[in-house]
Amino acid sequence: MTNPDPSPSAQDEDDADGSPSCVMVFNASDPSGAGGLAADITAIASVGAHALPVVTGAYARDTTEVFDHFAFDEEAVGEQARTILEDAPVQVFKVGFVGSPEAISAIAEIAADYADVPVIAYMPNLSWWDEGQIDLYLDAFRELMLPQTTVLVGNHSTLWRWLLPDWPGDRSPTARDIAKAASELGVPYTLVTGIPLPEQFIDNVLATPQAVLGSEKFERFEAVFSGAGDTLSAALAALVASGTDLAAAASEALAYLDRCLDAGFRPGMGNVVPDRLFWAQPEGDDNESLTEEEAQALQVFDMPAHDTKH
């Protein structure tokens, strides 16, 4: 197929009424709220689009690690997607971890049927999974999903191990090297994140085999995060869906992720979770800056104590 151009011209005419653009996301349910559909939905809404979430399975995990994953049947995945696709126009597909080669096949078939809709695919680190399952999943993704993918998003080390397993020499592959490997499999654009730089900085590069289209350097955070990749790829999908050209969308999505990580919090005893709604948090610790009328209005939302007896 010819990958669609993720540009403002791809915007559906039906969005002229001011409604948010729609992003269909294929991902697993994550009970920790760190990644998966939780990350997709909040990031897409935060950026200003509307998520159409298709559940592909569920993780058994906490905020530290993934213990297991339970995949949905591919027919259930396909039926979810096709039912809403008959009702609502979709500007972008976003594909996260979908759990099985069969689900990949079903999603790739849907993407082929809607060939004018850009596909943004995120490949996470799968080191928590069984090695045999990883190999089957990556092979299916390479053969079926990458030819449908417009933008591939992934960490430098993850994409290096997957796409360039026999990389020679002492130097690390550049973003363009990885983009070239992805391009040979049908991917026109690759967003490579987490490229190590000196002095505790990392680079994030949007590239094709021929050129670097944009890069953003950030200082490395000391904390360990869960859900950064899903957050970034979902924000990128929402920005592209809303009509932002790809280079600008990548820059804005990376800046958004940096703010999410800077405001990150630890909901449990494990890793830090990006705060995808950082802009909604109050700047102070109290309501001293509110007028009396505003303070009274906020009291409407105070929930009474739960006094139910069991």
Side-chain angles (χ1 to χ4, degrees):
M1 66 169 282
T2 300
N3 287 287
D5 179 23
S7 64
S9 61
Q11 189 77 2
D12 196 287
E13 293 180 1
D14 291 339
D15 294 334
D17 61 357
S19 299
S21 301
C22 292
V23 178
M24 175 167 284
V25 291
F26 297 90
N27 215 336
S29 175
D30 179 353
S32 76
L37 287 176
D40 289 334
I41 294 167
T42 51
I44 288 169
S46 181
V47 171
H50 176 63
L52 303 176
V54 175
V55 187
T56 61
Y59 291 106
R61 66 160 301 168
D62 58 19
T63 56
T64 302
E65 61 183 309
V66 178
F67 296 96
D68 206 348
H69 176 271
F70 311 101
F72 270 24
D73 182 273
E74 66 271 20
E75 293 183 5
V77 173
E79 191 67 21
Q80 289 178 76
R82 292 190 182 278
T83 300
I84 189 61
L85 282 167
E86 293 176 0
D87 175 52
V90 172
Q91 280 71 49
V92 172
F93 292 121
K94 187 261 180 173
V95 181
F97 178 66
V98 301
S100 71
E102 292 78 13
I104 292 172
S105 178
I107 295 165
E109 185 176 334
I110 291 169
D113 289 344
Y114 291 82
D116 292 335
V117 179
V119 176
I120 293 177
Y122 167 59
M123 178 53 67
N125 181 348
L126 300 177
S127 60
W128 56 269
W129 212 13
D130 175 79
E131 186 174 338
Q133 290 178 301
I134 294 174
D135 290 341
L136 291 172
Y137 186 86
L138 293 180
D139 287 346
F141 209 98
R142 180 188 294 107
E143 295 173 13
L144 301 174
M145 200 70 245
L146 288 187
Q148 311 293 337
T149 297
T150 311
V151 186
L152 175 64
V153 181
N155 182 270
H156 179 260
S157 62
T158 298
L159 296 183
W160 175 0
R161 289 193 303 270
W162 177 32
L163 300 177
L164 294 168
D166 301 319
W167 178 255
D170 296 329
R171 74 171 181 89
S172 301
T174 66
R176 282 183 57 192
D177 292 326
I178 293 173
K180 181 179 180 180
S183 177
E184 292 172 354
L185 298 167
V187 182
Y189 305 99
T190 304
L191 177 56
V192 184
T193 66
I195 303 171
L197 293 176
E199 299 180 359
Q200 293 298 306
F201 281 83
I202 58 172
D203 202 5
N204 306 278
V205 178
L206 176 67
T208 69
Q210 296 77 30
V212 170
L213 304 182
S215 66
E216 296 288 340
K217 297 178 177 65
F218 298 105
E219 188 171 1
R220 186 190 302 273
F221 289 95
E222 295 298 328
V224 177
F225 290 90
S226 293
D230 271 324
T231 301
L232 173 63
S233 51
L236 176 64
L239 288 162
V240 170
S242 300
T244 306
D245 73 82
L246 181 57
S251 178
E252 289 184 37
L254 286 163
Y256 169 75
L257 175 63
D258 189 57
R259 293 287 303 276
C260 292
L261 298 182
D262 187 52
F265 62 99
R266 185 174 278 106
M269 297 181 289
N271 298 334
V272 178
V273 173
D275 185 354
R276 292 171 281 263
L277 297 175
F278 61 84
W279 49 266
Q281 301 299 330
E283 294 183 3
D285 294 332
D286 51 43
N287 292 330
E288 291 181 358
S289 61
L290 298 178
T291 65
E292 182 177 351
E293 290 79 6
E294 290 171 333
Q296 289 176 347
L298 286 175
Q299 290 176 5
V300 173
F301 299 99
D302 289 343
M303 296 294 292
H306 196 301
D307 58 0
T308 301
K309 306 296 182 183
H310 294 283

